[in-house]
Amino acid sequence: MSEKSLTRLRVCVLGSTGSIGGNTLDVMARHPERFEVVALSAHSRADVLFEQCVAHRPRWACLPEADAAQALQGRLRAAGLATEVLVGAQALEQLAGHPEVDAVMAAIVGAAGLGPCLAAARAGKRLMLANKEALVVGGAFFMQAVEQGGATLLPVDSEHSAIFQCLPEARARWPQVIDHIVLTASGGPFRQRDPDSLHAVTPDEACAHPNWVMGRKISVDSATMMNKGLEVIEARWLFALPPDKIQVLIHPQSIIHSMVVCRDNSVLAQLGTPDMRVPIAYALSFPERVESGAAALNLLNVPALQFEAPDLRRFPALDLAWQALRGPEGSTAVLNAANEVAVAAFLAGGLRFTGIAATVAACLESVQPAADEVASVEGLLALDARARRQAQAVIARG
């Protein structure tokens, strides 16, 4: 172990009660000599957050509502814990940039994660990014904050982590190596379903992912392949690539997590069992590697690996991501906001499955980002709100 690693990394886990947050705490608990939990946050699962505080004893916890925070504080005091419970979005940003935090796991779902991610970037933290919206909504504005703050940006999505693991540690060498990248996708539950039958898909069907256990929103995104479209947008910023240098292939076995096609046509791939603890452990320990808890990949038992091009008639949401990347700056924020509204409506029974992509397409056509909306956090959030209103109007019109 290096001299630097003898000092424990102080970690703030934003979105600790979700699957990424829970897996992060699992990996950290395997290495108490290396990692220290100093802050946790949740959106609504206060009971789970209480259990996490009992197990990990962070200095701070955070909830969005004052009543829930006060109740949690009372429970923690009764349990003899000194954890201080903070409230609201501003507190999240304060924790993300706090001097006593070395690293931030950004696992908050949605545009609400943009502010804390920016705070961590500006404070020069190790930023382990599981929040897609920081790049999908923030784009160039967010990457500028990372550069100016001197932050270390580490991807946690399995696909982006795979690409990152295949590349040289020195980012300046990436353009000398990459010809293009290939993001792999499982194809979700509807990879072979007749596109003409997708209008009848139910929320439970859409959430039944064949390979991964995820929350309902991200499961629907996987079913539409909007999740992969958002990853295309992320990859454009993470690896400084134009849209035509980012390819998507369906790989139903989820063994190869993504690939780099090099300038000499060598193909570098990262393989492993489908377990999010692998990219999480790599982000926590980078540039070293630690045991993650994931099962080893037994190559003797690996099935035949399949690859196929995504059918854009079955997955129109994927094509919308490339359209947004080629559109005016801010179009990806519109896409993301419209998709969140449409997915929520679908899960609530107010929109057909095929209406998700249709709603996003309508919003991309009708919402034109203004220059001042992509130059600040306030502007981006205003654009996000405008796109959400338009999506709600589109859905209301049927």
Side-chain angles (χ1 to χ4, degrees):
M1 185 181 294
S2 68
E3 182 178 343
K4 183 178 180 181
S5 64
L6 291 173
T7 301
R8 292 201 297 172
L9 190 74
R10 300 171 296 179
V11 182
C12 168
V13 184
L14 302 178
S16 66
T17 61
S19 60
I20 296 293
N23 280 322
T24 301
L25 294 175
D26 178 85
V27 173
M28 292 177 67
R30 294 171 186 274
H31 306 279
E33 77 288 355
R34 298 186 64 123
F35 307 119
E36 177 186 0
V37 179
V38 294
L40 300 172
S41 83
H43 177 65
S44 59
R45 301 173 68 190
D47 288 342
V48 177
L49 183 60
F50 171 76
E51 294 170 1
Q52 291 177 338
C53 289
V54 171
H56 300 281
R57 299 178 176 266
R59 179 172 175 182
W60 299 286
C62 187
L63 284 167
E65 302 296 335
D67 290 346
Q70 185 175 3
L72 176 63
Q73 186 72 79
R75 293 180 67 187
L76 291 170
R77 286 175 178 164
L81 298 182
T83 301
E84 179 184 359
V85 183
L86 307 179
V87 184
Q90 186 175 0
L92 285 179
E93 295 182 20
Q94 290 171 347
L95 288 176
H98 199 282
E100 295 182 33
V101 168
D102 302 316
V104 175
M105 172 57 75
I108 296 175
V109 175
L114 178 59
C117 285
L118 278 167
R122 288 166 173 161
K125 305 299 183 184
R126 172 184 294 230
L127 178 54
M128 301 172 286
L129 192 64
N131 172 275
K132 298 181 185 301
E133 288 73 19
L135 288 167
V136 173
V137 176
F141 179 78
F142 177 74
M143 292 305 295
Q144 184 180 41
V146 170
E147 183 176 356
Q148 291 177 346
T152 301
L153 183 62
L154 300 169
V156 171
D157 272 346
S158 59
E159 296 81 1
H160 300 108
S161 177
I163 299 294
F164 187 76
Q165 291 180 56
C166 290
L167 291 171
E169 188 176 323
R171 291 174 183 256
R173 291 184 56 204
W174 291 0
Q176 304 164 20
V177 173
I178 302 173
D179 180 79
H180 65 278
I181 63 173
V182 179
L183 302 178
T184 55
S186 70
F190 308 133
R191 179 174 67 90
Q192 297 179 311
R193 182 156 172 163
D194 181 355
D196 292 332
S197 71
L198 290 174
H199 68 281
V201 164
T202 68
D204 285 344
E205 288 177 311
C207 291
H209 195 282
N211 297 347
W212 302 92
V213 177
M214 304 179 290
R216 287 174 73 80
K217 193 269 181 184
I218 194 171
S219 294
V220 174
D221 283 348
S222 180
T224 63
M225 282 192 72
M226 178 61 84
N227 191 48
K228 200 58 51 178
L230 297 177
E231 289 173 10
V232 168
I233 296 167
E234 285 184 278
R236 180 264 175 271
W237 295 109
L238 282 169
F239 306 111
L241 293 171
D244 61 358
K245 291 293 185 179
I246 306 167
Q247 183 182 358
V248 171
L249 286 179
I250 291 178
H251 169 51
Q253 292 78 29
S254 294
I255 298 297
I256 294 178
H257 297 302
S258 278
M259 296 173 274
V260 175
V261 180
C262 302
R263 288 191 164 195
D264 61 0
N265 285 330
S266 298
V267 180
L268 307 179
Q270 188 262 337
L271 287 70
T273 53
D275 190 322
M276 285 304 299
R277 289 177 295 180
V278 174
I280 289 169
Y282 189 64
L284 281 166
S285 62
F286 176 81
E288 301 175 22
R289 289 182 183 267
V290 296
E291 189 269 331
S292 67
L297 178 65
N298 187 337
L299 292 172
L300 296 177
N301 293 336
V302 169
L305 303 182
Q306 300 170 260
F307 300 93
E308 57 195 60
D311 180 351
L312 297 182
R313 181 167 170 256
R314 184 181 285 113
F315 302 116
L318 180 58
D319 191 48
L320 292 173
W322 273 292
Q323 290 183 32
L325 271 177
R326 296 185 178 106
E329 188 175 352
S331 296
T332 57
V334 173
L335 173 136
N336 177 73
N339 179 66
E340 285 192 15
V341 171
V343 169
F346 166 69
L347 288 172
L351 185 67
R352 288 187 181 273
F353 182 77
T354 49
I356 297 173
T359 299
V360 175
C363 290
L364 284 174
E365 289 184 6
S366 58
V367 179
Q368 296 299 313
D372 61 340
E373 288 180 313
V374 297
S376 67
V377 179
E378 295 75 18
L380 287 167
L381 293 178
L383 175 61
D384 176 89
R386 187 158 67 92
R388 289 172 190 273
R389 291 193 297 271
Q390 181 63 19
Q392 290 163 351
V394 168
I395 294 167
R397 290 198 298 266

